[in-house]
Amino acid sequence: MDVRIEQGDITQCRVDAIVNAANSSLMGGGGVDGAIHRAGGPQILAVCRELRASRFPDGLPTGQAVATPAGELPARWVIHTVGPVYGRGDGSLLDSCYRSSLEVADEIGARTLAFPLISAGVYGWPKQDAIERALRTLGSTPTEATEATLVLFDRATYDLALEVQQSVD
């Protein structure tokens, strides 16, 4: 699979699936999660409510993933995954977010994906470690996906990711 790094707005990505760094409630929130819910419109929230009422009454567990339609986003699907809060979970849970998202992508037939840097915002995961884990996990997980793009919102994180990518390759 081709793993790329881009700077930009993940809600504008024209891919099969956009991965959402969700909170366990699946009801939207701040950061990437809020942006995806706002841009995707009410259809995403409606399906998330159904998921909470049926499959995930206690919320989506950390490290797992689930798909919903993308609503008004320029993608077909949103894959929601809950990253660990730094200091409350180990790195294997963060790795699991990427692996689980790829597993869900394979289940729904998504071949091109856009990922945010999971847990590196309000969840406080150190950005360098988050980037290393994202690139390593995306690059080593068997999948039918053909392309995964790590979409970074700000220039400083994008520049750091380019540096990290050279050391991971």
Side-chain angles (χ1 to χ4, degrees):
M1 175 175 61
D2 185 25
V3 180
R4 302 176 182 192
I5 298 172
E6 291 183 6
Q7 181 184 0
D9 179 351
I10 198 166
T11 67
Q12 301 301 309
C13 291
R14 296 192 177 279
V15 291
D16 295 335
I18 292 172
V19 177
N20 180 18
N23 62 53
S24 64
S25 76
L26 296 174
M27 296 295 133
V32 170
D33 192 18
I36 287 172
H37 274 269
R38 284 189 301 278
Q43 181 186 13
I44 296 172
L45 183 58
V47 175
C48 285
R49 283 191 174 123
E50 291 172 15
L51 287 167
R52 282 298 306 273
S54 59
R55 290 177 55 194
F56 303 106
D58 297 325
L60 182 64
T62 301
Q64 293 187 20
V66 66
T68 66
E72 298 172 29
L73 291 166
R76 184 168 178 204
W77 304 98
V78 173
I79 299 173
H80 307 266
T81 189
V82 180
V85 174
Y86 186 67
R88 291 193 212 161
D90 66 33
S92 66
L93 285 172
L94 183 52
D95 299 344
S96 180
C97 291
Y98 292 97
R99 277 194 306 275
S100 296
S101 295
L102 290 171
E103 289 169 10
V104 169
D106 287 347
E107 290 169 10
I108 61 176
R111 299 295 176 255
T112 58
L113 298 100
F115 283 85
L117 189 56
I118 299 166
S119 287
V122 296
Y123 283 13
W125 207 275
K127 288 184 181 180
Q128 182 165 340
D129 187 58
I131 294 164
E132 289 171 359
R133 289 179 174 284
L135 294 176
R136 224 179 285 118
T137 305
L138 290 171
S140 67
T141 301
T143 181
E144 295 174 28
T146 57
E147 180 182 297
T149 304
L150 189 59
V151 181
L152 306 165
F153 189 72
D154 65 273
R155 182 67 190 209
T157 305
Y158 171 76
D159 290 342
L160 177 61
L162 291 177
E163 289 177 29
V164 170
Q165 185 179 41
Q166 291 176 351
S167 66
V168 171
D169 284 346

